[in-house]
Amino acid sequence: MPPDGTFLKTRIAPTPSGYLHAGNAVNFLLTAALAKKHSAKLLLRIDDLDRERYRQAYATDVFQTLRFLNIQCDEGPQSLEEFERHWSQRHRLNLYAAALEKLKETNAVFACTCSRTQSNACTCFQKNLPLDANGASWRLRTNENSVCVRTIDGNETIAHLPAEMKNFIVRKKDGLPAYQLASVVDDLHFGIDFIVRGQDLWPSTLAQQFLARQLGEERFASIRFYHHPLLMHESGEKLSKSAGDTSVKHWRNESQTSAAFFHYLGGLLHAPFPVHNGDDVLKLFGL
């Protein structure tokens, strides 16, 4: 165990499904600054299992954004070629398959053939469909038991799974692991003990704690979490990946400097002082 106030390793884990926006940049800066503050190594993990939305240009944008923000990771790929050759999640399919097999052996999952629109009223729980049924996903059998999440300061929050995470999917209809399962397996595989993510991923944190317990991975419960506020449009809507004026790519294409982008971020964050780096973002969030 690391000394009090320090962590072993955290990660930046973008999904290459679009060009990164200013909100992603804030997450990257916070994660890197907190890693430095707590003496943790920083891993770059690119989540590329969604092959329908994956584009090499989006993965390349991750590396370009990190360089633009002057963030250096201690572990992980340094280029698109290195990522695809050694670090893609496709190289860890055996780990995800082993986790799914464990859930199968303990009868922790059931087959579901519902469409996405039917999922809220899924009736497959009682059907006992075979897990190898054509076009079936695997859903985790959830219950009303609470889960515990440890925060950055060591406090514990007890909560129940939200409604949208009831019987959540762990294997998709195409046979690939779903995000929640792959994320848990990866964090355990890489020895992550501290995770920084947006407040919108609080339901995922609860789901992943529940899933880890079903896998018998009690060490996942010791991971510390920090859920940061989201960067929002003036309309109050959450930013989404796009090539619009909130994307980091837009600023690079306009030949803007990193300093100009930090000034822009400071405005979005309503900063009462100039923002020059991740340490200034930490101050804004009271960390």
Side-chain angles (χ1 to χ4, degrees):
M1 293 293 291
D4 289 343
T6 67
F7 300 109
L8 293 175
K9 191 188 299 183
T10 186
R11 83 293 200 273
I12 288 172
T15 301
S17 58
Y19 293 110
L20 299 172
H21 54 66
N24 299 125
V26 168
N27 175 267
F28 287 12
L29 291 163
L30 273 174
T31 305
L34 284 169
K36 179 182 177 182
K37 179 178 179 180
H38 294 279
S39 304
K41 287 187 176 181
L42 179 61
L43 165 75
L44 172 61
R45 188 191 88 204
I46 299 177
D47 293 354
D48 66 325
L49 280 179
D50 188 347
R51 303 309 295 180
E52 289 187 4
R53 295 196 297 168
Y54 173 79
R55 302 289 184 275
Q56 287 188 336
Y58 298 154
T60 298
D61 181 59
V62 173
F63 299 107
Q64 293 174 336
T65 297
L66 289 171
R67 287 194 292 270
F68 189 67
L69 298 174
N70 195 29
I71 294 174
Q72 179 65 47
C73 294
D74 302 296
E75 187 178 341
Q78 299 295 317
S79 67
L80 175 66
E81 181 182 10
E82 187 180 356
F83 163 66
E84 293 196 329
R85 184 170 295 181
H86 301 293
W87 292 89
S88 167
Q89 287 183 306
R90 291 173 294 171
H91 299 303
R92 299 190 291 279
L93 289 175
N94 62 319
L95 300 181
Y96 311 138
L100 287 168
E101 184 64 24
K102 184 178 293 186
L103 295 175
K104 176 183 176 181
E105 290 174 353
T106 58
N107 196 34
V109 292
F110 65 94
C112 174
T113 56
C114 293
S115 68
R116 197 174 279 187
T117 56
Q118 295 172 316
S119 60
N120 289 335
C122 175
T123 59
C124 292
F125 186 87
Q126 304 293 341
K127 289 183 179 179
N128 293 319
L129 299 172
L131 290 176
D132 59 356
N134 186 42
S137 59
W138 291 9
R139 291 181 176 271
L140 193 68
R141 300 181 190 273
T142 58
N143 52 41
E144 298 302 319
N145 291 341
S146 60
V147 294
C148 175
V149 178
R150 299 185 69 189
T151 60
I152 186 174
D153 54 8
N155 291 329
E156 296 182 347
T157 298
I158 308 297
H160 292 280
L161 285 182
E164 70 261 32
M165 288 299 172
K166 181 179 180 180
N167 300 327
F168 60 89
I169 293 176
V170 292
R171 196 190 80 160
K172 298 182 293 184
K173 292 183 178 181
D174 59 8
L176 290 173
Y179 164 75
Q180 307 296 358
L181 183 128
S183 186
V184 168
V185 171
D186 279 348
D187 285 331
L188 291 168
H189 173 68
F190 288 112
I192 301 300
D193 64 347
F194 177 45
I195 295 175
V196 181
R197 52 176 39 156
Q199 289 176 338
D200 59 326
L201 288 179
W202 174 247
S204 287
T205 295
L206 298 177
Q208 289 171 16
Q209 289 287 1
F210 185 91
L211 172 59
R213 195 163 63 197
Q214 306 313 301
L215 289 169
E217 295 287 359
E218 296 300 328
R219 57 195 171 115
F220 195 86
S222 65
I223 295 177
R224 303 278 188 95
F225 287 84
Y226 174 67
H227 294 79
H228 61 79
L230 301 181
L231 208 57
M232 311 294 283
H233 283 291
E234 291 183 359
S235 63
E237 296 179 352
K238 185 179 72 169
L239 299 182
S240 62
K241 290 191 178 83
S242 71
D245 59 6
T246 64
S247 72
V248 183
K249 178 176 178 287
H250 167 81
W251 286 79
R252 295 197 309 269
N253 287 350
E254 294 296 317
S255 299
Q256 296 288 339
T257 64
S258 297
F261 181 72
F262 276 109
H263 178 76
Y264 165 69
L265 277 186
L268 291 178
L269 292 166
H270 308 290
F273 52 80
V275 174
H276 301 103
N277 50 44
D279 291 335
D280 290 334
V281 177
L282 285 189
K283 295 176 186 175
L284 285 171
F285 285 84
L287 297 168

